[in-house]
């Protein structure tokens, strides 16, 4: 029974995420052939993750299908409800990790990148092998991108584990059993493993893709906790890394990287509390507190947004007044603002810049440990009503807000007002 189940699981995993986004055939080469081919890594970081999955079965299953997590790629639209619904390709799991789904990201990864001199923006989705940076490096550069013809596989296992010398970096010494050259790298358990792709140049508080800096400056150096990126996004378990090898069970990080597509991860980010500072006065404070992340929330892509939606409601349920705030990263090194729309037209990345500025000023992301206070006077004359508030996570703030398919309501609170 165990042997049958094991074969079923491995076969199921190997049918997903083939290079180019197509399903692998069931008649794959024997495991031993895959092991031998993996020794040289002639394709560098373009080496398919399926090849690694022949030996590292459980890890591949997590990476490829999000097995053991609550990852789910919701439907999205570009701007309005009438637009084509964006989903993961039919040949790809609907629950892959962000790394496995990088090459099939519904938003173009080949958009022109003004910072790279107008080159294709394929750096982090298709990186070449890199050495790990120093934790204290003031400005973390970007990894070197693979050539356009070597973009199959997206962020593969080799993208993170292959060194420029052609060896596999690992947290344990497995040289006695591994069929490929390895090097022990203790820093693989630290945030520097994530720095290149989650820093993007220099630190600009409030700007997109500064997650590593947000963790280092606002959480780590502020001594708010000892957690590294992996402690939250790659929770550990004890198991054999390569199931068919005679190796001991060790502490191993689950390769899930749960984030914006995980409702549990989103739900643990922020908390909202309503306060009435002065008795009898219809003025309220909303305390938005970052209680669950070691970085800002939301973080990463500027498309991500969190809404705070407040209402004053009477006994009959009638909405007397309402207010909304949005928290989101800036697109550029300044706050998004409609006053830049005309200047945006002459930029190489005009479309991306203008859609950010078109939404106008908004709240910056809430930093790690921050208690952001927003005030509201609804102007309601009644002597008794209820103030309600909810936090909504939106995977694409640029589309019609009435499209809720890509939104997650992750907290609701209320308080009664009486004179």
């Amino acid at each position: 029974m165990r042997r049958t189940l094991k074969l079923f699981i491995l076969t199921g995993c190997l049918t997903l995420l083939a290079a180019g986004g197509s399903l692998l055939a069931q008649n794959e080469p024997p495991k031993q052939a895959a092991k031998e081919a993996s020794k040289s890594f002639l394709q560098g970081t373009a080496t398919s993750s399926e090849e690694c999955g022949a030996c590292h079965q459980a890890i591949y299953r997590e990476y490829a299908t999000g097995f053991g997590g609550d990852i789910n790629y919701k439907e999205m639209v570009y701007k309005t409800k009438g637009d084509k619904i964006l989903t993961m390709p039919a040949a790809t799991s609907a629950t892959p990790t962000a790394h496995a789904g990088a090459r099939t990201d519904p938003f173009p990864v080949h958009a022109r990148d003004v910072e790279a001199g107008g080159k294709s923006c394929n750096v982090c989705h298709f990186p070449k092998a890199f050495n790990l940076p120093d934790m204290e490096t003031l400005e973390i550069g970007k990894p070197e991108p693979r050539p356009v013809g070597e973009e199959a596989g997206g962020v593969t296992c080799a993208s993170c584990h292959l060194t420029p010398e052609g060896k596999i970096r690992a947290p344990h010494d497995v040289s006695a059993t591994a069929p490929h050259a390895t090097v022990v790298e203790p820093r693989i358990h630290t945030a520097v493993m994530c720095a290149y792709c989650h820093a993007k140049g220099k630190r600009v508080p409030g700007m997109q893709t500064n997650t590593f800096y947000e963790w280092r400056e606002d959480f780590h150096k502020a001594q708010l906790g000892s957690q590294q990126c992996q402690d939250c996004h790659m929770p550990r378990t004890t198991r054999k890394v390569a199931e068919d090898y005679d190796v001991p069970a060790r502490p191993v990080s689950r390769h899930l990287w749960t984030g914006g597509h995980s409702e549990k991860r989103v739900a643990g980010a922020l908390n909202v509390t309503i306060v009435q500072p002065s008795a009898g006065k219809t003025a309220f404070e909303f305390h938005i507190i970052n209680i669950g992340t070691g970085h800002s929330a939301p973080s990463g892509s500027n498309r991500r947004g969190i809404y705070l939606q407040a209402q004053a409601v009477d006994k009959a349920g009638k909405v007397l007044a309402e207010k909304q705030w949005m928290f989101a990263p800036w697109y550029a090194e300044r706050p998004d603002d409609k006053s830049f729309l005309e200047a945006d037209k002459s930029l190489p990345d005009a479309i991306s810049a203008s859609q950010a500025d078109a939404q106008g000023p908004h709240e910056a992301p809430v930093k790690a440990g921050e208690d952001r206070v927003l005030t509201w006077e609804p102007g309601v004359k009644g002597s008794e009503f209820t103030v309600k508030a909810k936090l909504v996570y939106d995977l694409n703030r640029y589309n019609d807000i009435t499209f809720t398919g890509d939104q997650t309501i992750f907290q609701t609170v209320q308080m009664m007002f009486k004179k």
Side-chain angles (χ1 to χ4, degrees):
M1 177 64 181
R2 289 183 178 178
R3 183 172 297 175
T4 302
L5 178 60
K6 183 176 182 181
L7 179 60
F8 171 77
I9 291 173
L10 176 59
T11 303
C13 286
L14 291 179
T15 59
L16 295 168
L17 292 174
S22 60
L23 292 174
L24 284 177
Q26 295 288 338
N27 57 345
E28 282 298 302
K31 292 181 184 178
Q32 187 59 40
K35 293 176 187 176
E36 294 300 324
S38 69
K39 290 182 179 180
S40 58
F41 293 98
L42 296 178
Q43 293 178 289
T45 56
T47 301
S48 72
S49 295
E50 289 78 17
E51 188 173 315
C52 302
C55 295
H56 306 285
Q57 299 161 25
I59 289 177
Y60 175 77
R61 183 175 57 180
E62 291 166 353
Y63 156 91
T65 69
F67 187 88
D70 69 333
I71 302 170
N72 181 29
Y73 275 70
K74 296 184 176 182
E75 295 181 340
M76 286 186 277
V77 297
Y78 275 115
K79 295 184 68 176
T80 65
K81 286 185 175 181
D83 289 340
K84 180 181 178 181
I85 298 293
L86 301 172
T87 59
M88 297 298 288
T92 304
S93 167
T95 59
T97 64
H99 288 179
R103 76 179 189 279
T104 55
D105 191 303
F107 298 103
V109 296
H110 291 287
R112 310 306 289 178
D113 184 1
V114 66
E115 294 181 15
K119 296 180 181 178
S120 177
C121 187
N122 66 349
V123 177
C124 294
H125 285 206
F126 308 98
K128 282 187 176 180
F130 53 80
N131 287 314
L132 300 186
D134 184 83
M135 177 72 80
E136 300 303 321
T137 300
L138 184 62
E139 183 175 328
I140 306 294
K142 300 176 184 179
E144 185 180 354
R146 300 200 292 266
V148 175
E150 298 178 14
E151 293 181 346
V155 182
T156 62
C157 302
S159 295
C160 297
H161 286 276
L162 188 66
T163 68
E165 294 74 34
K167 299 181 179 180
I168 293 297
R169 58 170 65 95
H172 308 289
D173 184 1
V174 294
S175 56
T177 54
H180 46 66
T182 62
V183 58
V184 177
E185 177 52 86
R187 293 185 298 167
I188 202 170
H189 284 312
T190 72
V192 297
M193 189 68 234
C194 316
Y196 273 129
C197 292
H198 296 276
K200 194 184 176 187
K202 62 182 179 180
R203 171 75 195 275
V204 179
M207 192 180 77
Q208 66 171 332
T209 326
N210 266 203
T211 309
F212 171 76
Y213 296 131
E214 294 165 359
W215 169 84
R216 186 181 69 182
E217 307 300 327
D218 306 334
F219 181 82
H220 181 65
K221 288 186 177 181
Q223 300 183 5
L224 297 185
S226 58
Q227 295 95 327
Q228 305 284 320
C229 303
Q230 294 86 333
D231 294 319
C232 295
H233 296 280
M234 301 180 71
R236 295 183 185 180
T237 186
T238 301
R239 66 182 176 209
K240 294 173 67 173
V241 176
E243 286 79 354
D244 291 343
Y245 281 77
D246 184 18
V247 294
R250 295 187 174 101
V252 180
S253 293
R254 294 187 183 275
H255 287 54
L256 290 170
W257 307 285
T258 53
H261 293 277
S262 161
E263 291 195 6
K264 290 182 179 178
R265 184 63 60 199
V266 169
L270 300 179
N271 182 72
V272 59
T273 300
I274 306 174
V275 175
Q276 184 181 351
S278 302
K281 293 185 178 181
T282 57
F284 303 91
E285 291 181 349
F286 298 94
H287 290 249
I288 298 84
I289 308 170
N290 188 333
I291 60 170
T293 69
H295 50 72
S296 299
S299 185
S301 169
N302 68 94
R303 289 186 178 274
R304 307 300 183 242
I306 293 178
Y307 297 105
L308 170 63
Q309 298 173 342
Q311 292 182 331
V313 182
D314 66 12
K315 290 182 179 181
K318 179 182 178 181
V319 177
L320 305 174
E322 54 188 349
K323 173 77 172 180
Q324 176 174 277
W325 297 263
M326 182 177 70
F327 305 84
W330 308 328
Y331 173 75
E333 298 178 8
R334 54 164 176 75
D336 299 336
D337 198 306
K338 294 182 179 180
S339 63
F340 293 101
L341 284 173
E342 189 61 34
D344 290 340
K345 295 178 181 179
S346 62
L347 298 177
D349 52 344
I351 295 177
S352 298
S354 60
Q355 71 176 353
D357 286 328
Q359 289 196 326
H362 52 76
E363 289 287 326
V366 183
K367 294 181 179 180
E370 181 184 356
D371 178 356
R372 183 80 58 83
V373 181
L374 302 175
T375 60
W376 185 42
E377 293 188 36
V380 177
K381 296 181 179 180
S383 60
E384 187 172 322
F385 59 89
T386 299
V387 175
K388 299 182 178 182
K390 62 181 177 182
L391 289 172
V392 182
Y393 187 89
D394 196 337
L395 288 167
N396 180 22
R397 65 183 174 101
Y398 297 132
N399 63 20
D400 190 332
I401 192 172
T402 61
F403 177 78
T404 59
D406 58 357
Q407 297 177 4
T408 300
I409 300 174
F410 64 95
Q411 190 182 12
T412 58
V413 295
Q414 64 181 41
M415 71 172 293
M416 180 72 75
F417 170 80
K418 290 184 179 180
K419 273 194 176 181

